[in-house]
Amino acid sequence: MGVSARKHDVFQAIADPTRREVLRLLAEKERPISEISAHFPISRTAISKHLHILSEAELVKGKKAGRERIYHLQPEPLTELKQWLSYYEQFWNNKLQKLKYIVEEENE
Amino acid sequence: MGVSARKHDVFQAIADPTRREVLRLLAEKERPISEISAHFPISRTAISKHLHILSEAELVKGKKAGRERIYHLQPEPLTELKQWLSYYEQFWNNKLQKLKYIVEEENE
DNA sequence: TTGACATGAAACCAAAAGGTTTTATATGAT
DNA sequence: ATCATATAAAACCTTTTGGTTTCATGTCAA
């Protein structure tokens, strides 16, 4: 029942462009749902669902304040993504080295 | 009609755990479809579809060799993911700094 | 206390995702 | 030539996703 038991993980959460844009907005500053949804052509309800998915992935958190719910970014789960990525960096680093090597050969 | 016109982008491609495992297998070495699908409980056809999606995102490429098609990893599109991530690193770095600051205060 | 506002929740819907089975095609081996 | 192998392609199915509309609830303001 650890982190992996969540219904929506980080990889799924960031797969949707609308959710990535929501994260970008919340990176600027915390905002209530209605302010967030004002940036999109879709309904407030749809945005609310996206926020639920981001919440499950723990990428955002909402605090109730009066009749509003203010969401803020929680970037920590992105470290999982970073770790995943770091495994693959060795490969593109190798490619760049090969490319550099070829260029150097051609200049001689 | 640029890169963004692809039906499946990197974010979507890596959202599925099966596809991430396929990438991991291809990171070890290039493999034909049947060898890849042998690692999974689902059908070869299903794996083939996943490979198509990974191909669209240009994360893998298949070369026909005899009656086989050998797939290999193409990690370059992951740089897009890395760039996207780098924007958010400032936030968790800040958090770590704040945490460190608190700890230092408590030690005085 | 009455209304406007902000959100939550439920019911519903179409399209996409992830899978299967079936059929076809190309290639290698005998 | 024939047969087994490796993949491709198509048809089909179920569940999930991303959206809508409608209705309910809690809170602020007058």
Side-chain angles (χ1 to χ4, degrees):
Chain A
M1 277 238 230
V3 155
S4 56
R6 279 187 313 228
K7 192 179 171 191
H8 288 103
D9 64 10
V10 166
F11 292 92
Q12 251 186 291
I14 66 162
D16 183 272
T18 299
R19 285 196 290 271
R20 290 200 298 277
E21 185 60 23
V22 168
L23 289 180
R24 185 70 74 167
L25 288 171
L26 293 179
E28 289 175 11
K29 64 176 186 199
E30 56 177 29
R31 308 177 193 253
I33 299 185
S34 48
E35 184 182 331
I36 298 169
S37 68
H39 288 79
F40 297 90
I42 62 180
S43 71
R44 183 200 50 77
T45 309
I47 295 296
S48 190
K49 284 190 188 177
H50 282 305
L51 285 166
H52 275 293
I53 290 169
L54 290 169
S55 282
E56 277 187 55
E58 294 179 71
L59 281 166
V60 306
K61 184 160 187 181
K63 298 173 292 191
K64 213 176 163 193
R67 54 184 162 183
E68 297 186 322
R69 179 173 295 274
I70 315 288
Y71 276 91
H72 65 272
L73 184 69
Q74 287 190 148
E76 289 82 353
L78 292 178
T79 56
E80 188 185 346
L81 189 62
K82 188 181 171 62
Q83 281 178 22
W84 182 85
L85 246 189
S86 71
Y87 174 77
Y88 292 95
E89 283 178 20
Q90 54 176 316
F91 297 104
W92 74 69
N93 285 341
N94 285 348
K95 291 248 174 169
L96 288 176
Q97 272 177 249
K98 275 178 197 162
L99 203 59
K100 198 184 169 207
Y101 180 66
I102 290 163
V103 169
E104 278 171 357
E105 265 191 341
E106 283 180 351
N107 279 348
E108 277 170 19
Chain B
M1 277 228 236
V3 157
S4 56
R6 278 187 313 228
K7 192 180 172 194
H8 289 104
D9 63 10
V10 167
F11 292 92
Q12 253 186 288
I14 66 160
D16 183 273
T18 299
R19 285 196 290 271
R20 290 200 298 278
E21 185 59 24
V22 168
L23 289 180
R24 184 72 70 168
L25 287 171
L26 293 180
E28 289 175 10
K29 64 176 187 201
E30 59 178 25
R31 307 175 193 252
I33 298 185
S34 47
E35 183 183 331
I36 297 169
S37 67
H39 287 80
F40 298 89
I42 62 182
S43 71
R44 184 198 52 76
T45 310
I47 294 297
S48 190
K49 283 189 188 177
H50 283 304
L51 285 165
H52 275 293
I53 291 170
L54 290 169
S55 281
E56 276 187 56
E58 294 179 70
L59 281 166
V60 305
K61 185 160 188 180
K63 299 173 291 191
K64 214 178 162 190
R67 55 185 160 182
E68 296 186 323
R69 178 173 297 274
I70 315 287
Y71 276 92
H72 65 270
L73 184 69
Q74 285 190 151
E76 289 82 355
L78 292 178
T79 56
E80 188 186 345
L81 190 62
K82 189 181 170 62
Q83 282 177 21
W84 182 84
L85 246 189
S86 71
Y87 174 78
Y88 291 95
E89 283 180 19
Q90 56 176 311
F91 297 105
W92 76 66
N93 286 342
N94 285 348
K95 292 248 170 164
L96 288 178
Q97 274 178 249
K98 276 178 196 163
L99 203 58
K100 196 184 170 207
Y101 180 65
I102 290 165
V103 169
E104 279 171 357
E105 266 189 342
E106 284 180 352
N107 280 348
E108 278 170 19

